[in-house]
Amino acid sequence: MDKTDVVIIGCGIAGATAALRLAQNPDRHILVLTRHADPLESNTRYAQGGIVSRGEDDTADCLYNDIIAAGAGASFPKTARILAEEGPDLLQKLLVETAGVTFDSAPDGRPFFGQEAAHSRRRILHVGDGTGLAIIQGLLAAMARFPNITLETNLTAVDLITFPHHSRDPLRTYQPIACYGVYAFHRKERTLHRYLAAATILATGGLGRIYRNTTNPPGARGDGLAMAHRAGARIINAEYVQFHPTALAAPGAEGFLISEAVRGEGAVLLTPEGRPFMADYSPEWKDLAPRDVVARAIHHQMEAHGYSHVLLDLATHMDADAIRARFPNIYAKCLSAGIDITREPIPVVPAAHYFCGGVAVDEWGLSSIQNLYALGEISCTGVHGANRLASTSLLEGLVWGDRAGRHIEALLSCQSPANLAASVPSFDEVPPWDESGLVADADSALIQGDMQTIQNIMWHYVGLARNTERLLRAIRELRHLWNEIETFYQTTKLSDGLIGLRNAVEVALIVAESALHNRQSRGCHFREDAGIAEGERLI
Ligand SMILES: Cc1cc2nc3c(=O)[nH]c(=O)nc-3n(C[C@H](O)[C@H](O)[C@H](O)COP(=O)(O)OP(=O)(O)OC[C@H]3O[C@@H](n4cnc5c(N)ncnc54)[C@H](O)[C@@H]3O)c2cc1C
């Protein structure tokens, strides 16, 4: 199916939710693409701690206030309010009733709400510490029940099809930019396809992999952000990259996330000598301070004292059986790395975790480009401001996936089938991808080497603590690399790795340039050499 009503790029929680909402209309045809062979593979799959719901003594106002407080003054009140008000009911309807996700409950049958940092209430629903996997399995199973959803795997989106850029009509230049689908590369067949659609949704997830230390899986390389940027979409808040305080620092298991829920259940951060240190940085919240504060505190301890990691002690604060029941995956993963978390502390370091910025969208997920929507981690609704409140990203994917689905349906259903078909360009109007003359296959050593260079630049110069000198150095080196990679890209046959490398250097530059331009420390953007925003936290 190369021409459809809606093409959705990505099938994590955001893309899957949009597909399910659109599929309610049996006449609507929805094509969902993912670059992985396994549709489960996404950031969603790895979410551990859970998803925000409404706790027992909780209200929408209360959640709204926590989001605003964590966002360090930069959360957009309108969208934070939407999330707080719509999220919990939608969770119940879509995840529990439609997708059949069974969240953990207490022995009396009531939901077992977890606690996480900077939440003033226990309100996190979870499925052990494998919440994301349970959610995406449920959503994919629900999608399979709709014959009007086609899910295609092994397809890497390369570039958006936008007019005037891809139009053969010179007069199209005088109209606003509009999106009509995507060029995608079939990883197995090594062929390029045009998918044309009345509406296009980018739901490609985050960009953690542009950093050396990250909790994100290999697919999180910012593909959608780079595509949107090349197409001319507005991008905002790109300097706000959230670093998770606690990724496992054990050989062979680097980057594995030790969920915030572990501190929510009482675990305490210690120096390697065994001294608790969070009270020095946040006397009020201590180990449950907002993520940026905890991550910078660890970074500060590591830099000041030359530690390679700090320790997270759960064993002293939770019974061994309770640890195994509440955190089965973390327990098993640490044990496989030789650490028994029921008996000893866990070595941890901070790692790039979540992208708070992204493609600027409105309350319906619509970007600055006509017909182009962006949802989930790739988008910036403004909810997370300068620092995301734990466990709100899954909920944001759900809420905006549903909203975009409703918005697109309202627009498409106004049109007669004939008008709708005519609104999508024909294949004659959109040039096919041209690879003629390219014979060289991409050299994987170059791809790997360049990727590692990007990751090192981002980690050292655009990391937890930034200053003008580091950022300027990063930008100079990334620009040089961008030129090299662009030449490489223009002269080499396509591959998934090459597409990802080109995108990674593009988004690395976007983040570094935003970080340079924002001279004010706020939330997860910390400038050592600039003013601190009013009311902002210092360490
Ligand atoms: C280890 C870890 C733990 C987390 N824990 C939590 C938590 O407890 N609670 C919480 O709320 N959030 C958590 N998060 C964040 C949350 O998981 C993500 O923000 C969220 O799942 C993003 O969903 P998404 O649908 O936007 O993207 P994803 O789930 O990442 O899905 C992206 C999709 O796009 C596809 N894709 C990407 N590029 C292309 C391309 N070029 N062409 C075609 N397809 C493409 C991918 O294959 C995938 O299908 C965690 C994240 C990580 C990494």
Side-chain angles (χ1 to χ4, degrees):
M1 187 188 6
D2 291 351
K3 199 162 172 177
T4 184
D5 293 328
V6 185
V7 61
I8 302 178
I9 309 161
C11 69
I13 191 167
T17 302
L20 285 170
R21 164 55 65 179
L22 286 157
Q24 307 291 319
N25 177 350
D27 296 329
R28 204 57 70 219
H29 295 287
I30 304 113
L31 173 64
V32 183
L33 311 181
T34 172
R35 56 178 282 279
H36 286 283
D38 175 2
L40 288 174
E41 186 58 28
S42 56
N43 272 15
T44 300
R45 183 202 190 296
Y46 296 95
Q48 293 179 353
I51 180 166
V52 164
S53 181
R54 192 160 295 143
E56 282 177 359
D57 53 348
D58 200 6
T59 61
D61 275 350
C62 195
L63 172 57
Y64 169 83
N65 289 334
D66 288 350
I67 293 171
I68 296 289
S75 290
F76 187 25
K78 180 177 176 183
T79 51
R81 172 73 60 196
I82 289 173
L83 188 86
E85 285 181 356
E86 293 181 12
D89 290 344
L90 188 63
L91 185 164
Q92 174 66 26
K93 215 165 149 216
L94 189 72
L95 293 186
V96 177
E97 291 164 27
T98 306
V101 179
T102 313
F103 291 103
D104 291 358
S105 51
D108 63 4
R110 285 188 301 173
F112 174 19
F113 292 111
Q115 174 75 57
E116 289 198 5
H119 283 274
S120 61
R121 299 285 188 281
R122 279 192 164 262
R123 56 162 80 100
I124 318 294
L125 285 179
H126 49 86
V127 183
D129 54 3
T131 310
L133 181 60
I135 288 176
I136 198 63
Q137 282 171 332
L139 289 172
L140 286 173
M143 277 167 63
R145 295 196 288 271
F146 285 90
N148 52 342
I149 299 179
T150 305
L151 174 62
E152 297 272 8
T153 57
N154 281 308
L155 274 167
T156 304
V158 186
D159 264 318
L160 296 166
I161 295 172
T162 54
F163 282 10
H165 184 67
H166 294 105
S167 172
R168 297 179 196 272
D169 176 3
L171 297 183
R172 196 60 181 73
T173 307
Y174 304 107
Q175 291 174 33
I177 306 176
C179 183
Y180 293 106
V182 65
Y183 290 103
F185 171 75
H186 199 291
R187 297 176 65 175
K188 280 196 163 159
E189 296 165 5
R190 307 198 64 179
T191 46
L192 270 141
H193 301 257
R194 285 166 293 175
Y195 294 99
L196 300 180
T200 302
I201 297 180
L202 276 175
T204 49
L207 49 67
R209 278 279 160 168
I210 64 171
Y211 282 90
R212 191 185 72 192
N213 293 347
T214 180
T215 61
N216 287 197
R221 53 194 196 184
D223 281 12
L225 190 77
M227 283 190 273
H229 186 246
R230 285 193 291 272
R234 183 167 175 244
I235 287 161
I236 54 173
N237 289 359
E239 65 274 36
Y240 298 127
V241 175
Q242 185 175 66
F243 292 83
H244 199 287
T246 54
L248 184 58
E254 294 92 350
F256 178 77
L257 181 73
I258 306 299
S259 166
E260 207 144 42
V262 172
R263 275 174 290 129
E265 297 301 337
V268 171
L269 285 158
L270 308 171
T271 63
E273 295 87 27
R275 187 181 74 81
F277 58 84
M278 272 315 300
D280 303 346
Y281 298 93
S282 176
E284 186 194 348
W285 291 91
K286 301 189 184 74
D287 294 85
L288 289 180
R291 274 191 187 163
D292 60 312
V293 176
V294 183
R296 277 200 302 275
I298 296 174
H299 180 73
H300 185 244
Q301 284 289 320
M302 288 171 61
E303 271 205 343
H305 304 288
Y307 302 144
S308 61
H309 60 263
V310 296
L311 298 173
L312 181 63
D313 174 26
L314 179 63
T316 312
H317 305 277
M318 202 174 181
D319 174 73
D321 288 340
I323 291 177
R324 281 187 285 264
R326 175 71 179 90
F327 302 113
N329 292 323
I330 295 175
Y331 171 74
K333 186 74 180 185
C334 290
L335 203 58
S336 74
I339 302 151
D340 181 349
I341 66 170
T342 65
R343 298 153 64 95
E344 57 193 319
I346 311 166
V348 291
V349 289
H353 183 58
Y354 183 82
F355 186 45
C356 300
V359 180
V361 295
D362 67 9
E363 67 268 36
W364 301 103
L366 184 61
S367 76
S368 59
I369 293 182
Q370 270 181 16
N371 313 331
L372 178 67
Y373 293 74
L375 308 174
E377 194 167 338
I378 179 65
S379 70
C380 185
T381 61
V383 166
H384 307 301
N387 188 36
R388 175 182 70 111
L389 180 67
S391 286
T392 49
S393 48
L394 289 171
L395 195 66
E396 185 192 41
L398 199 71
V399 169
W400 263 265
D402 188 71
R403 288 190 140 243
R406 281 191 276 149
H407 195 250
I408 293 170
E409 182 52 33
L411 291 177
L412 300 192
S413 58
C414 294
Q415 304 186 47
S416 68
N419 281 348
L420 182 56
S423 71
V424 182
S426 70
F427 282 98
D428 290 341
E429 290 172 273
V430 177
W433 192 269
D434 184 12
E435 266 210 311
S436 56
L438 298 183
V439 284
D441 281 327
D443 178 345
S444 55
L446 283 179
I447 294 180
Q448 214 183 333
D450 285 353
M451 199 68 180
Q452 282 172 1
T453 305
I454 295 167
Q455 291 165 338
N456 278 322
I457 293 171
M458 293 305 285
W459 184 253
H460 292 293
Y461 306 151
V462 197
L464 280 131
R466 300 159 176 182
N467 63 42
T468 305
E469 199 181 336
R470 288 179 201 164
L471 293 169
L472 284 173
R473 168 79 80 86
I475 291 167
R476 278 197 306 275
E477 294 193 6
L478 288 169
R479 281 191 184 145
H480 171 71
L481 209 50
W482 187 92
N483 281 323
E484 291 289 338
I485 292 170
E486 200 54 29
T487 307
F488 184 24
Y489 179 82
Q490 298 295 346
T491 54
T492 313
K493 284 169 83 172
L494 270 192
S495 70
D496 177 74
L498 182 57
I499 295 166
L501 177 65
R502 180 190 186 216
N503 291 334
V505 73
E506 180 134 359
V507 299
L509 262 170
I510 295 171
V511 174
E513 283 172 355
S514 298
L516 180 70
H517 290 141
N518 187 350
R519 294 185 55 83
Q520 203 178 44
S521 285
R522 187 182 287 282
C524 51
H525 172 58
F526 184 68
R527 291 281 301 249
E528 293 174 334
D529 57 347
I532 305 296
E534 205 179 322
E536 177 54 2
R537 308 167 278 252
L538 252 180
I539 64 166

